[in-house]
Amino acid sequence: MGSVSVRSVSKDYVLGRTLVRALHEVSLEVERSEFIAIAGPSGSGKSTLLNLVSAIDSPTSGEVLIDGVSLQSLDDNGLSDLRSEKIGFIFQTFNLIPVLSAYENVEFPLLFKRRGGGIAASRVKEVLARVGLEDFMHHRPDELSGGQRQRVAVARALVTDPLIVLADEPTANLDSETGQAVIDLMLEINRSAGTTFIFSTHDPSVMAHARRVVRLVDGRIVGS
Ligand code: ADP
Ligand code: MG
């Protein structure tokens, strides 16, 4: 559990009358508990690829499988169940809800779990402690530093205990030291919980910490 299979996936965007092919027949196998970086310059298709794996968007052709289940075979309910049970997502710009406290932001994904779970205060606190923010749970995002905000976002991605965490340039808005601390935190969770991490970056110092780097150029994988 926690594997991802991308099979010959292409993604086209239509912009007015032009067609932008963001991904060209990309194939990628990610095994459970991998810690893998998708590296590439801006516009190379990193966000598109992560959005397809998280079922935020669907491919023009090809398919994505999570633990052997094709996302293309699921209806909307099936996709939202799969997303809330198996996947956590960390965004480049944190995407926290400004009016909610750190605690409430982390609790948020639990409100959408259709099956089981429920809202366990102990779980929210445990995850906040995991990212070192137990003393900041009543702070709103604007009362936190960039690194602390991204830690809240990491906690929010982990609260549902996902098998797979996808992180789209999680360090891009952080200084290098703070970015390094976020990568270290992700590595530590990967080691201790066996969570699969797939993250994108264009920063060579971040790539250096991945166990495997897949390079994207103009929507194609160029060696790995
Ligand atoms: P990256 O995350 O590596 O910067 P993206 O996946 O965001 O790359 O974009 C890949 C290509 O697809 C770019 O040429 C981008 O302009 C285009 N693109 C991305 N999203 C859209 C969209 N919603 N509509 C049109 N073109 C898009
Ligand atoms: Mg991007």
Side-chain angles (χ1 to χ4, degrees), residues 4-204:
V4 175
S5 181
V6 175
R7 297 192 181 159
S8 202
V9 159
S10 296
K11 177 68 183 179
D12 297 337
Y13 291 110
V14 182
L15 258 185
R17 292 190 157 194
T18 33
L19 192 77
V20 180
R21 173 146 281 202
L23 293 176
H24 298 258
E25 303 200 344
V26 166
S27 293
L28 176 66
E29 295 292 327
V30 181
E31 285 169 31
R32 166 191 191 159
S33 302
E34 275 205 72
F35 194 83
I36 177 174
I38 310 291
S42 177
S44 58
K46 303 182 298 297
S47 296
T48 301
L49 180 57
L50 290 172
N51 289 343
L52 295 180
V53 172
S54 64
I56 290 172
D57 205 352
S58 55
T60 305
S61 62
E63 63 176 350
V64 176
L65 296 90
I66 305 283
D67 290 333
V69 174
S70 170
L71 300 183
Q72 282 62 60
S73 73
L74 300 173
D75 61 12
D76 283 349
N77 283 337
L79 286 176
S80 44
D81 283 349
L82 180 131
R83 227 183 275 125
S84 77
E85 281 164 21
K86 297 204 173 185
I87 296 174
F89 209 100
I90 301 167
F91 300 89
Q92 178 177 338
T93 49
F94 323 136
N95 282 19
L96 300 176
I97 300 170
V99 296
L100 300 183
S101 67
Y103 179 95
E104 291 162 336
N105 268 283
V106 173
E107 179 189 47
F108 203 69
L110 296 177
L111 307 176
F112 294 96
K113 259 186 120 61
R114 297 200 313 142
R115 279 192 221 133
I119 298 158
S122 59
R123 175 66 186 156
V124 177
K125 288 180 187 157
E126 178 190 317
V127 187
L128 279 165
R130 190 86 176 76
V131 302
L133 287 180
E134 58 271 67
D135 294 338
F136 294 87
M137 59 180 155
H138 302 302
H139 291 233
R140 286 197 321 260
D142 65 359
E143 300 165 330
L144 297 169
S145 69
Q148 287 171 328
R149 286 181 213 181
Q150 196 58 307
R151 283 171 183 271
V152 174
V154 171
R156 179 181 57 186
L158 292 173
V159 73
T160 56
D161 205 13
L163 296 160
I164 302 162
V165 171
L166 305 168
D168 194 5
E169 302 208 44
T171 63
N173 284 303
L174 304 175
D175 63 69
S176 59
E177 196 179 325
T178 311
Q180 186 54 55
V182 167
I183 295 292
D184 287 344
L185 174 65
M186 287 170 27
L187 262 171
E188 199 217 329
I189 292 156
N190 166 262
R191 278 194 210 108
S192 60
T195 312
T196 305
F197 276 83
I198 307 177
F199 63 99
S200 67
T201 183
H202 59 250
D203 180 347

